[in-house]
Amino acid sequence: EQSARVPLVVRVPGGVGGRRVAEPVSLLDLGPTLLELAGAAPLDDVDGDSLVPLMPGASRSAPGGHRSAPVVGEYLAEGVNHPAVMVRRGPWKLIACPGDPDQLYDLSTDPAELTNLAGAPEHSGVLHELREEVARRWDLAALEERVVASQRERHLILRALGEGAFRSWAYEPGPRHRYVEGGKDLYEVQRRARLDARAPDRPDAADRPG
């Protein structure tokens, strides 16, 4: 929640007053929002909702004051063995990852996500609804196949780049050995960084204990 809960600040020229909205929104909403503010026709088959109904002085209002589309996210990097996805609708948040148990939280009463409600019978309807949203938006098996295929390609490139003489492309703004780069001996860099280190152009400088 701490990584996904990022404030969105909107200032519209000629807007009326200010308003704080607790409703979760998404970066996918920016496109439809800018199109409506500009008076352009909405695009077909686009994710996200216009946030104009949530703004002060809006000419139209969303049903019940809420946006219709859920907020979604996905994580495909370190720390997970399979694709992990998130669906947030109102206070409810579902985290799903194949091979791991579902995690369902009511952020209105549990903002720290300490109580997993996925196994609670009274919340089975919410869990089923959000699981259907996951199935509608993602083919997790196909997504995992694409990730693994990409990893194989990058491992092949890594092995190829490891052949032959290594030439660093890193720009060195100062004296050599000032920064630690790939392939350099960390301890040698630290030794040279000492004020009493022997200068390379003074072979007669006395060695001092490091």
Side-chain angles (χ1 to χ4, degrees):
E1 183 65 12
Q2 287 80 358
S3 63
R5 192 178 182 86
V6 181
L8 174 65
V9 180
V10 179
R11 183 181 184 275
V12 180
V16 180
R19 181 184 182 190
R20 181 176 179 179
V21 179
E23 186 71 17
V25 297
S26 169
L27 290 177
L28 298 176
D29 301 328
L30 295 183
T33 301
L34 294 175
L35 287 175
E36 182 167 353
L37 290 174
L43 299 176
D44 296 330
D45 192 24
V46 62
D47 288 326
D49 280 359
S50 171
L51 302 178
V52 170
L54 301 178
M55 298 179 185
S59 59
R60 65 183 184 90
S61 60
H66 299 289
R67 56 197 301 277
S68 60
V71 173
V72 298
E74 61 184 39
Y75 182 77
L76 310 173
E78 297 84 358
V80 293
N81 295 323
H82 305 279
V85 298
M86 180 271 291
V87 176
R88 169 80 186 274
R89 188 190 297 277
W92 294 102
K93 177 179 181 180
L94 171 67
I95 301 173
C97 180
D100 293 330
D102 288 337
Q103 300 178 58
L104 178 68
Y105 301 104
D106 181 355
L107 297 182
S108 64
T109 59
D110 182 23
E113 301 180 3
L114 300 177
T115 305
N116 184 5
L117 302 175
E122 62 271 26
H123 300 303
S124 60
V126 174
L127 177 63
H128 178 72
E129 177 185 344
L130 296 182
R131 285 291 302 180
E132 285 190 332
E133 186 67 29
V134 169
R136 186 182 73 83
R137 287 179 171 269
W138 289 282
D139 183 340
L140 295 180
L143 179 58
E144 181 167 351
E145 290 180 1
R146 290 169 54 193
V147 171
V148 173
S150 175
Q151 290 173 340
R152 293 195 187 101
E153 293 175 355
R154 284 178 280 141
H155 277 295
L156 176 62
I157 295 173
L158 180 63
R159 289 196 299 270
L161 293 177
E163 298 294 330
F166 174 78
R167 181 182 179 88
S168 174
W169 54 265
Y171 171 67
E172 296 184 2
R176 289 183 57 82
H177 307 297
R178 182 178 179 183
Y179 301 100
V180 178
E181 297 176 354
K184 290 186 178 179
D185 186 336
L186 172 62
Y187 299 101
E188 175 65 12
V189 173
Q190 290 176 333
R191 188 191 69 79
R192 289 176 176 270
R194 291 183 57 86
L195 293 176
D196 57 358
R198 179 165 53 185
D201 57 345
R202 294 181 54 197
D204 56 338
D207 284 332
R208 295 187 177 91

